[in-house]
Amino acid sequence: MTDPSDSLRRQEILKRAARLFRRSGFERTTVRQIAAALEITSGSVFYYFESKEELLVAIMEDGIRDVHAAVAEGLAAKRGVAEKLLAMARCHLTALLGSNLDSLMVLLYEWRSLSPAAMKRVLASRNRYEDLWDRELAAAAARGWVDSDTVLVRQTVLGALNWAGQWYRAGSRFGIDALAHRMFAILMPRVHEQLDQGARSVPTGSSLPAALAQSGASPPIFGIQPTGAFSK
């Protein structure tokens, strides 16, 4: 049986390492710095992880797993294709901008630091997640709601959602749910049109209506990251 304190310590190491990797970069962050930030020894870090790369892989895999679980749960609660895709966008963005932000930013920008074997392992997890999107986007394409190049559609949608991790700040003019609806309407307008006006589920107390009334400007969305860890 796993000691609960071991599991807790492992998570503390992962979270602190993710924060440091995101802030300073994987190559410039040492295990000694991670240990010092936690007030433990470097040997304690190596008790849980065989190497710094193994720590990086664990951060990436945990980030993908948590987003995958959140999106799969949101997907299971919906029936129609349009409703499923909206739920996926909302759950992805909510997971990204929550406690997983450091891990997922590390995933997006530190994948070049992985060895070929480690990259293969991380990409296997990523591919399982993206298969969820490919299935629903294929259903939308069959109905003429998105372009037939569903790989490019997925790369564009996930690229835009992931980029929100760089510019979104809590307390901005959009709450996360309202932002998900707005981005969904911009990125997949024909899918969005399929949602009944009364079934768009804009959250109670959302700032979306007021924000739309005040400004027609779109959130600052940038280009795709086709070679990133969230893009096949």
Side-chain angles (χ1 to χ4, degrees), residues 86 89-90 93 157 160-161 164 167-168 173-190 192 195 200-203 206-221:
L86 174 57
R90 182 194 297 126
L93 202 59
V157 170
L161 293 175
W167 55 262
Y168 181 80
R173 65 192 181 100
F174 289 107
I176 294 176
D177 275 5
L179 176 64
H181 278 81
R182 179 72 164 136
M183 292 183 73
F184 182 77
I186 292 169
L187 294 166
M188 291 186 276
R190 282 178 287 177
H192 188 265
L195 300 169
R200 290 181 181 169
S201 305
V202 176
S206 164
S207 60
L208 179 59
L212 295 182
Q214 293 170 7
S215 171
S218 302
I221 298 171

Short mmCIF file of all heavy atoms in Angstrom, two decimals, residues 86 89-90 93 157 160-161 164 167-168 173-190 192 195 200-203 206-221:
data_model
loop_
_atom_site.label_atom_id
_atom_site.label_comp_id
_atom_site.label_asym_id
_atom_site.label_seq_id
_atom_site.Cartn_x
_atom_site.Cartn_y
_atom_site.Cartn_z
N LEU A 86 -18.76 21.77 -27.37
CA LEU A 86 -18.75 22.91 -26.44
C LEU A 86 -18.27 22.46 -25.07
O LEU A 86 -17.44 23.14 -24.44
CB LEU A 86 -20.14 23.52 -26.34
CG LEU A 86 -20.31 24.63 -25.29
CD1 LEU A 86 -19.33 25.77 -25.53
CD2 LEU A 86 -21.74 25.14 -25.27
N ALA A 89 -14.48 22.00 -25.13
CA ALA A 89 -13.75 23.27 -25.09
C ALA A 89 -13.78 23.87 -23.69
O ALA A 89 -12.76 24.35 -23.18
CB ALA A 89 -14.35 24.23 -26.11
N ARG A 90 -14.96 23.83 -23.06
CA ARG A 90 -15.09 24.40 -21.72
C ARG A 90 -14.24 23.63 -20.71
O ARG A 90 -13.53 24.24 -19.90
CB ARG A 90 -16.56 24.36 -21.28
CG ARG A 90 -16.78 24.99 -19.90
CD ARG A 90 -18.16 24.64 -19.34
NE ARG A 90 -19.23 25.16 -20.16
CZ ARG A 90 -20.23 24.42 -20.64
NH1 ARG A 90 -20.29 23.13 -20.39
NH2 ARG A 90 -21.19 24.98 -21.35
N LEU A 93 -10.44 24.23 -21.28
CA LEU A 93 -10.00 25.56 -20.82
C LEU A 93 -10.03 25.65 -19.30
O LEU A 93 -9.13 26.23 -18.69
CB LEU A 93 -10.91 26.62 -21.44
CG LEU A 93 -10.35 28.05 -21.53
CD1 LEU A 93 -9.06 28.07 -22.35
CD2 LEU A 93 -11.37 28.99 -22.14
N VAL A 157 -8.02 24.72 -32.92
CA VAL A 157 -8.83 24.88 -31.72
C VAL A 157 -7.98 24.71 -30.46
O VAL A 157 -7.98 25.55 -29.56
CB VAL A 157 -10.00 23.88 -31.72
CG1 VAL A 157 -10.70 23.87 -30.36
CG2 VAL A 157 -10.99 24.22 -32.82
N ALA A 160 -5.42 27.56 -30.00
CA ALA A 160 -6.02 28.79 -29.46
C ALA A 160 -6.36 28.63 -27.98
O ALA A 160 -6.09 29.53 -27.17
CB ALA A 160 -7.26 29.15 -30.27
N LEU A 161 -6.97 27.51 -27.62
CA LEU A 161 -7.31 27.29 -26.21
C LEU A 161 -6.06 27.27 -25.35
O LEU A 161 -6.01 27.89 -24.28
CB LEU A 161 -8.08 25.98 -26.06
CG LEU A 161 -9.48 25.93 -26.69
CD1 LEU A 161 -10.06 24.51 -26.56
CD2 LEU A 161 -10.43 26.94 -26.06
N ALA A 164 -4.39 30.58 -24.41
CA ALA A 164 -5.03 31.35 -23.34
C ALA A 164 -4.23 31.26 -22.05
O ALA A 164 -4.27 32.16 -21.21
CB ALA A 164 -6.46 30.87 -23.11
N TRP A 167 -2.05 34.40 -21.77
CA TRP A 167 -2.54 35.77 -21.60
C TRP A 167 -3.71 35.92 -20.63
O TRP A 167 -3.97 37.02 -20.15
CB TRP A 167 -2.94 36.37 -22.95
CG TRP A 167 -3.94 35.57 -23.74
CD1 TRP A 167 -3.66 34.71 -24.76
CD2 TRP A 167 -5.37 35.57 -23.59
NE1 TRP A 167 -4.83 34.17 -25.26
CE2 TRP A 167 -5.88 34.67 -24.56
CE3 TRP A 167 -6.26 36.22 -22.74
CZ2 TRP A 167 -7.25 34.43 -24.71
CZ3 TRP A 167 -7.62 35.97 -22.88
CH2 TRP A 167 -8.10 35.09 -23.86
N TYR A 168 -4.41 34.83 -20.33
CA TYR A 168 -5.58 34.97 -19.47
C TYR A 168 -5.17 35.25 -18.03
O TYR A 168 -4.24 34.64 -17.51
CB TYR A 168 -6.44 33.70 -19.51
CG TYR A 168 -7.68 33.80 -18.64
CD1 TYR A 168 -8.81 34.47 -19.10
CD2 TYR A 168 -7.69 33.27 -17.35
CE1 TYR A 168 -9.93 34.59 -18.30
CE2 TYR A 168 -8.83 33.38 -16.55
CZ TYR A 168 -9.94 34.05 -17.04
OH TYR A 168 -11.05 34.17 -16.24
N ARG A 173 -12.11 40.51 -18.06
CA ARG A 173 -13.50 40.78 -18.43
C ARG A 173 -14.30 39.52 -18.71
O ARG A 173 -15.53 39.57 -18.78
CB ARG A 173 -13.56 41.73 -19.63
CG ARG A 173 -12.99 41.17 -20.93
CD ARG A 173 -12.83 42.30 -21.96
NE ARG A 173 -12.32 41.81 -23.22
CZ ARG A 173 -13.09 41.57 -24.27
NH1 ARG A 173 -14.40 41.74 -24.20
NH2 ARG A 173 -12.56 41.15 -25.41
N PHE A 174 -13.65 38.38 -18.90
CA PHE A 174 -14.33 37.12 -19.09
C PHE A 174 -14.01 36.17 -17.94
O PHE A 174 -12.84 35.99 -17.59
CB PHE A 174 -13.87 36.43 -20.39
CG PHE A 174 -14.35 37.09 -21.65
CD1 PHE A 174 -13.46 37.80 -22.45
CD2 PHE A 174 -15.67 37.00 -22.04
CE1 PHE A 174 -13.88 38.41 -23.61
CE2 PHE A 174 -16.11 37.61 -23.21
CZ PHE A 174 -15.22 38.31 -23.99
N GLY A 175 -15.03 35.55 -17.38
CA GLY A 175 -14.79 34.40 -16.53
C GLY A 175 -14.42 33.23 -17.43
O GLY A 175 -14.58 33.30 -18.66
N ILE A 176 -13.95 32.14 -16.86
CA ILE A 176 -13.47 31.03 -17.69
C ILE A 176 -14.60 30.41 -18.51
O ILE A 176 -14.44 30.14 -19.71
CB ILE A 176 -12.77 29.97 -16.82
CG1 ILE A 176 -11.49 30.55 -16.21
CG2 ILE A 176 -12.43 28.74 -17.66
CD1 ILE A 176 -10.77 29.60 -15.27
N ASP A 177 -15.77 30.19 -17.92
CA ASP A 177 -16.88 29.61 -18.67
C ASP A 177 -17.33 30.53 -19.80
O ASP A 177 -17.59 30.09 -20.92
CB ASP A 177 -18.07 29.32 -17.74
CG ASP A 177 -17.95 27.98 -17.03
OD1 ASP A 177 -16.90 27.32 -17.20
OD2 ASP A 177 -18.89 27.60 -16.32
N ALA A 178 -17.43 31.83 -19.50
CA ALA A 178 -17.83 32.79 -20.52
C ALA A 178 -16.78 32.86 -21.63
O ALA A 178 -17.11 32.95 -22.81
CB ALA A 178 -18.03 34.17 -19.90
N LEU A 179 -15.51 32.80 -21.25
CA LEU A 179 -14.43 32.81 -22.24
C LEU A 179 -14.53 31.58 -23.14
O LEU A 179 -14.35 31.67 -24.36
CB LEU A 179 -13.08 32.84 -21.54
CG LEU A 179 -11.84 32.74 -22.44
CD1 LEU A 179 -11.77 33.95 -23.37
CD2 LEU A 179 -10.57 32.64 -21.60
N ALA A 180 -14.82 30.42 -22.55
CA ALA A 180 -14.95 29.19 -23.34
C ALA A 180 -16.06 29.32 -24.37
O ALA A 180 -15.90 28.92 -25.54
CB ALA A 180 -15.21 28.00 -22.42
N HIS A 181 -17.20 29.88 -23.97
CA HIS A 181 -18.30 30.08 -24.91
C HIS A 181 -17.90 31.04 -26.03
O HIS A 181 -18.21 30.80 -27.20
CB HIS A 181 -19.53 30.64 -24.18
CG HIS A 181 -20.34 29.60 -23.49
ND1 HIS A 181 -20.00 29.10 -22.25
CD2 HIS A 181 -21.48 28.97 -23.85
CE1 HIS A 181 -20.90 28.21 -21.89
NE2 HIS A 181 -21.80 28.11 -22.83
N ARG A 182 -17.24 32.11 -25.68
CA ARG A 182 -16.84 33.12 -26.66
C ARG A 182 -15.85 32.53 -27.66
O ARG A 182 -15.97 32.71 -28.88
CB ARG A 182 -16.25 34.33 -25.92
CG ARG A 182 -15.76 35.45 -26.84
CD ARG A 182 -16.93 36.17 -27.46
NE ARG A 182 -16.49 37.44 -28.01
CZ ARG A 182 -16.86 37.90 -29.19
NH1 ARG A 182 -17.65 37.18 -29.97
NH2 ARG A 182 -16.44 39.07 -29.62
N MET A 183 -14.85 31.83 -27.14
CA MET A 183 -13.85 31.23 -28.03
C MET A 183 -14.46 30.14 -28.90
O MET A 183 -14.12 30.00 -30.07
CB MET A 183 -12.68 30.68 -27.20
CG MET A 183 -11.85 31.75 -26.51
SD MET A 183 -10.41 31.10 -25.62
CE MET A 183 -9.33 30.66 -26.99
N PHE A 184 -15.38 29.38 -28.33
CA PHE A 184 -16.06 28.33 -29.09
C PHE A 184 -16.81 28.94 -30.28
O PHE A 184 -16.76 28.42 -31.39
CB PHE A 184 -17.01 27.56 -28.18
CG PHE A 184 -17.73 26.42 -28.83
CD1 PHE A 184 -17.08 25.22 -29.07
CD2 PHE A 184 -19.07 26.54 -29.19
CE1 PHE A 184 -17.74 24.16 -29.67
CE2 PHE A 184 -19.74 25.49 -29.79
CZ PHE A 184 -19.08 24.29 -30.03
N ALA A 185 -17.51 30.05 -30.04
CA ALA A 185 -18.27 30.71 -31.10
C ALA A 185 -17.33 31.24 -32.19
O ALA A 185 -17.68 31.21 -33.38
CB ALA A 185 -19.09 31.85 -30.51
N ILE A 186 -16.16 31.71 -31.81
CA ILE A 186 -15.20 32.25 -32.78
C ILE A 186 -14.53 31.11 -33.56
O ILE A 186 -14.37 31.20 -34.79
CB ILE A 186 -14.13 33.09 -32.05
CG1 ILE A 186 -14.76 34.36 -31.47
CG2 ILE A 186 -12.98 33.45 -32.99
CD1 ILE A 186 -13.86 35.11 -30.52
N LEU A 187 -14.14 30.06 -32.87
CA LEU A 187 -13.36 28.99 -33.49
C LEU A 187 -14.21 28.01 -34.29
O LEU A 187 -13.75 27.47 -35.30
CB LEU A 187 -12.60 28.23 -32.40
CG LEU A 187 -11.50 29.02 -31.68
CD1 LEU A 187 -11.06 28.30 -30.41
CD2 LEU A 187 -10.31 29.24 -32.62
N MET A 188 -15.43 27.75 -33.84
CA MET A 188 -16.31 26.81 -34.53
C MET A 188 -17.71 27.41 -34.70
O MET A 188 -18.68 26.93 -34.12
CB MET A 188 -16.36 25.48 -33.76
CG MET A 188 -15.07 24.71 -33.80
SD MET A 188 -15.16 23.06 -33.03
CE MET A 188 -14.91 23.49 -31.32
N PRO A 189 -17.82 28.47 -35.51
CA PRO A 189 -19.09 29.19 -35.60
C PRO A 189 -20.25 28.35 -36.10
O PRO A 189 -21.38 28.49 -35.61
CB PRO A 189 -18.77 30.35 -36.55
CG PRO A 189 -17.55 29.92 -37.31
CD PRO A 189 -16.78 29.08 -36.35
N ARG A 190 -19.99 27.47 -37.06
CA ARG A 190 -21.10 26.66 -37.59
C ARG A 190 -21.56 25.62 -36.57
O ARG A 190 -22.74 25.28 -36.53
CB ARG A 190 -20.69 25.99 -38.90
CG ARG A 190 -20.73 26.94 -40.10
CD ARG A 190 -20.27 26.27 -41.36
NE ARG A 190 -18.83 26.06 -41.36
CZ ARG A 190 -18.16 25.44 -42.33
NH1 ARG A 190 -18.81 24.94 -43.37
NH2 ARG A 190 -16.85 25.30 -42.26
N HIS A 192 -21.38 26.19 -33.34
CA HIS A 192 -22.06 27.03 -32.35
C HIS A 192 -23.49 27.35 -32.77
O HIS A 192 -24.40 27.43 -31.94
CB HIS A 192 -21.26 28.32 -32.13
CG HIS A 192 -21.75 29.17 -31.02
ND1 HIS A 192 -22.63 30.22 -31.21
CD2 HIS A 192 -21.52 29.13 -29.68
CE1 HIS A 192 -22.89 30.78 -30.06
NE2 HIS A 192 -22.24 30.15 -29.11
N LEU A 195 -26.41 25.09 -31.64
CA LEU A 195 -26.92 25.12 -30.26
C LEU A 195 -28.16 26.00 -30.20
O LEU A 195 -28.16 27.13 -30.69
CB LEU A 195 -25.85 25.68 -29.32
CG LEU A 195 -24.53 24.90 -29.27
CD1 LEU A 195 -23.48 25.70 -28.53
CD2 LEU A 195 -24.72 23.55 -28.62
N ARG A 200 -27.55 27.27 -24.59
CA ARG A 200 -26.12 27.54 -24.66
C ARG A 200 -25.46 27.54 -23.31
O ARG A 200 -24.25 27.65 -23.22
CB ARG A 200 -25.88 28.88 -25.37
CG ARG A 200 -26.23 28.78 -26.85
CD ARG A 200 -25.97 30.07 -27.57
NE ARG A 200 -26.34 29.93 -28.98
CZ ARG A 200 -26.42 30.94 -29.82
NH1 ARG A 200 -26.16 32.16 -29.41
NH2 ARG A 200 -26.76 30.74 -31.07
N SER A 201 -26.27 27.47 -22.28
CA SER A 201 -25.75 27.28 -20.93
C SER A 201 -24.74 28.33 -20.52
O SER A 201 -23.71 28.01 -19.93
CB SER A 201 -25.12 25.89 -20.80
OG SER A 201 -26.03 24.90 -21.16
N VAL A 202 -25.01 29.59 -20.87
CA VAL A 202 -24.13 30.65 -20.36
C VAL A 202 -24.30 30.69 -18.86
O VAL A 202 -25.41 30.77 -18.36
CB VAL A 202 -24.51 32.02 -20.97
CG1 VAL A 202 -23.66 33.11 -20.34
CG2 VAL A 202 -24.33 31.98 -22.47
N PRO A 203 -23.24 30.55 -18.08
CA PRO A 203 -23.35 30.41 -16.64
C PRO A 203 -24.00 31.62 -15.98
O PRO A 203 -23.81 32.76 -16.40
CB PRO A 203 -21.90 30.25 -16.18
CG PRO A 203 -21.08 30.79 -17.30
CD PRO A 203 -21.85 30.54 -18.55
N SER A 206 -22.48 35.22 -15.36
CA SER A 206 -21.37 35.36 -16.29
C SER A 206 -21.25 36.80 -16.76
O SER A 206 -22.24 37.52 -16.89
CB SER A 206 -21.58 34.45 -17.49
OG SER A 206 -20.75 34.82 -18.55
N SER A 207 -20.04 37.21 -17.06
CA SER A 207 -19.81 38.56 -17.56
C SER A 207 -19.95 38.62 -19.07
O SER A 207 -19.74 39.67 -19.66
CB SER A 207 -18.40 39.03 -17.17
OG SER A 207 -17.43 38.16 -17.71
N LEU A 208 -20.30 37.51 -19.72
CA LEU A 208 -20.33 37.48 -21.17
C LEU A 208 -21.29 38.49 -21.77
O LEU A 208 -20.90 39.27 -22.63
CB LEU A 208 -20.66 36.06 -21.65
CG LEU A 208 -20.77 35.87 -23.18
CD1 LEU A 208 -19.45 36.26 -23.83
CD2 LEU A 208 -21.13 34.44 -23.51
N PRO A 209 -22.59 38.54 -21.38
CA PRO A 209 -23.48 39.49 -22.03
C PRO A 209 -23.00 40.93 -21.89
O PRO A 209 -23.02 41.70 -22.84
CB PRO A 209 -24.81 39.26 -21.29
CG PRO A 209 -24.72 37.86 -20.77
CD PRO A 209 -23.28 37.69 -20.41
N ALA A 210 -22.57 41.30 -20.68
CA ALA A 210 -22.10 42.67 -20.48
C ALA A 210 -20.86 42.95 -21.31
O ALA A 210 -20.71 44.01 -21.91
CB ALA A 210 -21.80 42.90 -19.00
N ALA A 211 -19.97 41.96 -21.36
CA ALA A 211 -18.73 42.15 -22.12
C ALA A 211 -19.03 42.32 -23.60
O ALA A 211 -18.42 43.14 -24.28
CB ALA A 211 -17.79 40.96 -21.88
N LEU A 212 -19.96 41.52 -24.11
CA LEU A 212 -20.29 41.61 -25.52
C LEU A 212 -20.96 42.94 -25.83
O LEU A 212 -20.80 43.49 -26.92
CB LEU A 212 -21.22 40.45 -25.92
CG LEU A 212 -20.60 39.06 -25.83
CD1 LEU A 212 -21.61 38.02 -26.30
CD2 LEU A 212 -19.34 38.96 -26.66
N ALA A 213 -21.73 43.45 -24.88
CA ALA A 213 -22.40 44.73 -25.09
C ALA A 213 -21.39 45.87 -25.11
O ALA A 213 -21.53 46.84 -25.84
CB ALA A 213 -23.44 44.97 -24.00
N GLN A 214 -20.34 45.72 -24.32
CA GLN A 214 -19.36 46.79 -24.18
C GLN A 214 -18.34 46.79 -25.31
O GLN A 214 -17.83 47.82 -25.69
CB GLN A 214 -18.63 46.66 -22.85
CG GLN A 214 -19.54 46.93 -21.64
CD GLN A 214 -18.85 46.56 -20.35
OE1 GLN A 214 -17.67 46.22 -20.33
NE2 GLN A 214 -19.58 46.60 -19.26
N SER A 215 -18.04 45.61 -25.82
CA SER A 215 -16.97 45.53 -26.82
C SER A 215 -17.20 44.37 -27.76
O SER A 215 -17.50 43.27 -27.33
CB SER A 215 -15.62 45.36 -26.12
OG SER A 215 -14.61 45.09 -27.06
N GLY A 216 -17.04 44.62 -29.04
CA GLY A 216 -17.15 43.54 -30.02
C GLY A 216 -15.82 42.90 -30.29
O GLY A 216 -15.71 42.03 -31.16
N ALA A 217 -14.78 43.31 -29.58
CA ALA A 217 -13.45 42.77 -29.83
C ALA A 217 -13.33 41.34 -29.37
O ALA A 217 -13.92 40.95 -28.36
CB ALA A 217 -12.40 43.63 -29.11
N SER A 218 -12.59 40.54 -30.11
CA SER A 218 -12.34 39.16 -29.74
C SER A 218 -11.17 39.10 -28.77
O SER A 218 -10.32 39.98 -28.76
CB SER A 218 -11.99 38.34 -30.98
OG SER A 218 -13.03 38.42 -31.92
N PRO A 219 -11.12 38.04 -27.94
CA PRO A 219 -9.94 37.86 -27.10
C PRO A 219 -8.70 37.72 -27.96
O PRO A 219 -8.79 37.27 -29.10
CB PRO A 219 -10.25 36.54 -26.36
CG PRO A 219 -11.72 36.37 -26.45
CD PRO A 219 -12.12 37.00 -27.74
N PRO A 220 -7.54 38.12 -27.47
CA PRO A 220 -6.32 38.05 -28.28
C PRO A 220 -5.87 36.62 -28.48
O PRO A 220 -5.15 36.06 -27.67
CB PRO A 220 -5.30 38.84 -27.43
CG PRO A 220 -5.81 38.70 -26.04
CD PRO A 220 -7.30 38.66 -26.13
N ILE A 221 -6.30 36.01 -29.59
CA ILE A 221 -5.96 34.62 -29.90
C ILE A 221 -4.87 34.62 -30.97
O ILE A 221 -5.00 35.28 -31.99
CB ILE A 221 -7.20 33.85 -30.40
CG1 ILE A 221 -8.27 33.82 -29.30
CG2 ILE A 221 -6.84 32.43 -30.80
CD1 ILE A 221 -9.59 33.28 -29.74
#
